[in-house]
């Protein structure tokens, strides 16, 4: 009967250790789920930032194209303005009395 009692005690110790291992595995599963949720949230945030970056890059390209177009239009306008004799226009605004501008 002593061997049976010792076997029962050994089996009880094994059961206790298996239960302890089961609790540890449960804690690992819970922690893994929490980490998975955290990684999913990080992934969503990174994707949102990537979309924002792509939108910003597209807007910068549009702005650059608009700036180049505006610079070209300004150059054309300067060419057109260069055709006018602005000195003559200033003299046309003056009266014949003493070189003063007419009021």
């Amino acid at each position: 009967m002593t061997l049976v009692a010792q076997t029962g005690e050994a089996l009880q110790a094994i059961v206790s250790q298996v239960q302890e291992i089961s609790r540890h595995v449960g804690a690992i599963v819970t922690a893994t789920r929490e980490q998975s949720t955290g990684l999913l949230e990080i992934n969503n945030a990174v994707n949102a930032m990537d979309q924002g970056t792509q939108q910003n890059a597209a807007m910068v390209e549009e702005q650059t194209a608009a700036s180049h177009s505006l610079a070209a239009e300004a150059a054309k306008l300067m060419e057109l303005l260069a055709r006018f004799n602005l000195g003559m226009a200033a003299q046309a605004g003056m009266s014949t009395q003493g070189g003063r501008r007419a009021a």
Side-chain angles (χ1 to χ4, degrees):
M1 285 281 201
T2 306
L3 290 177
V4 172
Q6 287 177 347
T7 302
E9 290 173 4
L11 288 174
Q12 195 65 1
I14 291 171
V15 167
S16 177
Q17 290 176 354
V18 168
Q19 289 173 343
E20 183 68 21
I21 291 170
S22 178
R23 283 192 295 271
H24 288 301
V25 169
I28 290 170
V29 167
T30 300
T32 301
R33 284 184 184 149
E34 290 173 357
Q35 288 178 355
S36 176
T37 300
L39 288 174
L40 182 61
E41 290 174 359
I42 290 170
N43 187 39
N44 289 339
V46 168
N47 285 337
M49 288 173 34
D50 182 51
Q51 289 176 355
T53 300
Q54 289 178 10
Q55 289 174 350
N56 286 343
M59 288 191 300
V60 166
E61 286 183 27
E62 291 174 8
Q63 188 65 33
T64 300
S67 295
H68 287 297
S69 176
L70 182 60
E73 290 294 322
K76 288 179 187 176
L77 182 58
M78 291 301 292
E79 288 177 18
L80 292 173
L81 286 173
R83 293 180 184 178
F84 290 97
N85 186 348
L86 298 179
M88 294 298 287
Q91 289 178 0
M94 297 192 148
S95 70
T96 56
Q97 298 178 352
R100 293 186 185 167
R101 290 183 182 243

